[in-house]
Structures are given as C-alpha cells and as structure tokens.
Amino acid sequence: MEKPTVERIGFIGLGIMGRSMAANLIKAGFSLTVWNRTSSRMEPLVRAGAQAARSPREAAEGQDAVITMVTDSPDVEEVLFGPGGVSEGIRPGAVVIDMSTISPEVTRRLAARLAGQGVDMLDAPVTGGDVGAREGTLSIMVGGKPEVFDRCRPLFEAMGRTIVHVGDHGMGQMCKLCNQVVVALNLLAMAEGLAFAARSGVDLEKMLAVVRAGAAGSWAMDNLAPRVLQGDLKPGFMVRLQQKDLRLALEAANQMHLPLAGTSLVHQLLASVEAYGGGDDGTQAIVRALERLGNFRILPEPSSP
Ligand code: NAP
C-alpha cells in the first residue's frame, strides 16, 4: 500500500533560520501551521498564508509532520514533551523532524520516546546559514529510517538543495558536528587572513577579491569576510550558538578520545568574544578576539557623527 504523502506541516521555532524555512515551505505549496514562543514572530508567516497555533500541541494536531527549529537539546525536549507539547497533539503515524542542532545522544532518546507512541522521528540539521535558509539552498543531513526519509524528501527539497540520508537516528546530528568543526576552522582561517592583511597594510577589499577566488575560498570568505569589512557584526549565526555546537563536538570527540586541537582553539577565542559581551553577535565577531590579542584593528573605525 502507498504510504500517505506529507502535506500538512506544523512548524515550531521561527528564529533567524526557521522563519525563512517556513516561508519556503509555504511557497512550495505545503499547508503550514506555525508556533513560536514569542508570538509576534508568527505574524509575517500568517500574512504569507500560515495558520497560527496557540501551543506546540495545537501546532501538531492533525499534521502529517512537525518540524522543530529551536535552539538546543533542552528546548527541543521542552517543545516535544513539556506541558502543551507536540507529543500531546501528534497522531500515530506522523513524523517529528528536528532540524535544530542538538546532541546526537539526546536525539536517540527522543526518537525512542516518540516511537513509543507510534511517531517516527528524523534528525535533519542543516548548514548554509541565514543566506541558505532564505534562498532555499540549505544542505540537509538526515538521520532515521530510510523509508521515513523518502516520504519526507519533498519537504526537504522545498528548503534545501543538497539532501543526504546519512544513517540511523542521531547520525544527522553527528554529521552536523563534523560540519561545525570545519566551519569553526574556516572562520578562524578567514579572520587570521584579514588580520594579516590589516597588520601588513594590504588593502582588505583587494585581498578578499583575489584570495576568495582561489584555493583559500570558503563560505566564510564569501559571506562573513565582507560583513567584517563593513563593520557588520549582526548575526547570521550567533556566537553563543556556535559555542553550543563546539561544546557538543568537543564532548563527542572527548568520548572517542579524539583530539581536536583547532576546534578547541576556536572555542576558546569565541569564549573571549562572549566574555566581552558578544554572545549575540555573529560568529564573524571572532575578529574582535584577534584584535584584542594583537592590539590592532581589523574592523573599520566607527565613523564620527
Ligand atoms: P534563533 O534566531 O535564536 O532562533 C531560535 C528559535 O528557537 C526562536 O524561534 C526561539 O523562540 C526558539 N526557542 C528557543 N528555545 C525555546 C524554547 N525553550 N521553547 C520554545 N521555543 C524556543 O536561532 P537560529 O539561528 O534560527 O538557530 C536555530 C537552530 O538552527 C539552532 O539549533 C542553530 O544551532 C541551528 N542553525 C543555525 C544556523 C544559522 O546560521 N543561524 C545554521 C545552521 C543551523 P523565541 O523567538 O521566543 O526566542
């Protein structure tokens, strides 16, 4: 018998990433019910055609799938199993798709708990940043049963371009942590390149124009370095969220007795950014830590009033 297709979706968590991902699902023709803790963030989605729910439970009622895009492991746990949570409203046979970046271990526990009520789960964290979320070009790495993944593929295609089933429950999150290790080191590479240019008197714009087109090109060089040159530290991805991810990666590495020297260094530099009050800045604020270490400027001088 044909498995039912996934058409009706509950979407929980309309932050920097979730709001754009939800908007792309509406554009692709899915029927969406949204819920966000800060209710004003639901308004633009309602204007775009979504229904607003009053709780995660209500967002889950009658849906084929419920997507969560919140911050950390305890937050996913709360929207799923807290009072008024998804588990109170979701029907057996439906799917919970967690697209947040959280602990692989917690993911496996949540999947087992949902299975107890006949609900399937996929972990489907993403990469591609705020830009990828807006443009529907995210990379999505999925853990869970292959047949459930196949059923949900059209929904992933509305939000992303590269979609890969990597293994069983938790393996999507493990793959995302590999991604975060690479992202962290590319971030530092970008910042040290800019530091070297700034200190040596090479024009930053010119250096960026030529270097990003060659072997040193990266997502960080294309998307974050131009923001540094503008003095723009607004978050595409907040320092405190990167720190959460590096903590998860370093904990997992520690359990495997795997040294990750470069990742640890980036974690420490970003701890300095946090110590100076930059936790809500974008990760490009790592240049602040380098500026303080070297006692010079990379960011442009603030223009005088
Ligand atoms: P964000 O802008 O801070 O949004 C977080 C969202 O989660 C908000 O809607 C927030 O609600 C909600 N939330 C947090 N804790 C909650 C709780 N306990 N109960 C209910 N709602 C809760 O963060 P983001 O950048 O969109 O990131 C979301 C997830 O995607 C994170 O796991 C992050 O690591 C991952 N991610 C981010 C990026 C990126 O570039 N930004 C890229 C890939 C993956 P309020 O509106 O009420 O605060």
Side-chain angles (χ1 to χ4, degrees):
M1 201 181 72
E2 271 283 289
K3 274 274 183 190
T5 49
V6 176
E7 285 164 1
R8 296 173 52 82
I9 300 167
F11 199 110
I12 293 172
L14 304 171
I16 290 177
M17 298 295 284
R19 60 184 171 230
S20 300
M21 293 159 68
N24 284 332
L25 286 166
I26 296 172
K27 271 189 221 143
F30 289 96
S31 156
L32 227 69
T33 300
V34 295
W35 180 80
N36 195 66
R37 182 178 56 184
T38 307
S39 59
S40 58
R41 286 184 158 174
M42 294 191 276
E43 286 162 17
L45 277 304
V46 169
R47 281 199 294 277
Q51 304 284 319
R54 279 166 299 185
S55 63
R57 173 200 171 127
E58 203 178 290
E61 279 166 354
Q63 312 294 350
D64 304 317
V66 176
I67 296 177
T68 50
M69 191 55 173
V70 294
T71 308
D72 201 353
S73 314
D75 307 309
V76 176
E77 205 148 11
E78 192 182 325
V79 297
L80 293 184
F81 293 107
V86 167
S87 68
E88 295 175 11
I90 197 163
R91 62 172 174 77
V95 188
V96 166
I97 305 171
D98 178 36
M99 303 190 78
S100 333
T101 306
I102 69 164
S103 147
E105 248 177 76
V106 171
T107 296
R108 289 189 196 106
R109 199 154 37 75
L110 296 175
R113 222 172 139 184
L114 286 167
Q117 59 181 103
V119 172
D120 279 305
M121 181 171 174
L122 296 173
D123 44 304
V126 306
T127 178
D130 55 332
V131 182
R134 272 199 305 278
E135 295 178 354
T137 57
L138 292 168
S139 291
I140 309 177
M141 39 216 116
V142 187
K145 292 189 201 136
E147 63 274 19
V148 179
F149 167 70
D150 287 341
R151 190 146 47 99
C152 295
R153 185 182 263 285
L155 172 163
F156 292 132
E157 283 170 350
M159 296 181 280
R161 191 155 55 192
T162 306
I163 299 144
V164 179
H165 178 249
V166 284
D168 206 350
H169 298 296
M171 293 316 271
Q173 294 294 354
M174 280 297 187
C175 188
K176 171 68 186 182
L177 295 182
C178 304
N179 180 80
Q180 292 310 78
V181 165
V182 177
V183 162
L185 290 167
N186 279 337
L187 177 70
L188 181 58
M190 177 277 291
E192 287 203 348
L194 291 181
F196 199 99
R199 199 73 182 84
S200 64
V202 171
D203 182 275
L204 294 185
E205 300 263 4
K206 289 180 181 161
M207 184 280 276
L208 193 57
V210 64
V211 165
R212 75 195 244 193
S218 66
W219 191 94
M221 288 294 270
D222 288 343
N223 292 280
L224 298 182
R227 296 185 197 183
V228 173
L229 267 51
Q230 300 284 311
D232 175 8
L233 296 185
K234 281 198 300 294
F237 185 48
M238 286 177 227
V239 168
R240 64 180 166 81
L241 294 185
Q242 175 68 307
Q243 290 294 74
K244 161 197 61 110
D245 293 355
L246 295 185
R247 218 167 283 123
L248 290 172
L250 290 168
E251 274 164 21
N254 198 29
Q255 278 170 18
M256 300 183 281
H257 303 288
L258 173 72
L260 291 180
T263 308
S264 301
L265 174 60
V266 177
H267 192 45
Q268 295 302 318
L269 290 169
L270 289 176
S272 164
V273 177
E274 286 185 299
Y276 279 86
D280 286 346
D281 285 341
T283 51
Q284 66 273 27
I286 196 169
V287 295
R288 285 259 191 246
L290 300 189
E291 286 181 336
R292 283 188 287 262
L293 278 171
N295 191 23
F296 71 108
R297 277 195 85 88
I298 302 171
L299 289 156
E301 298 285 349
S303 48
S304 42

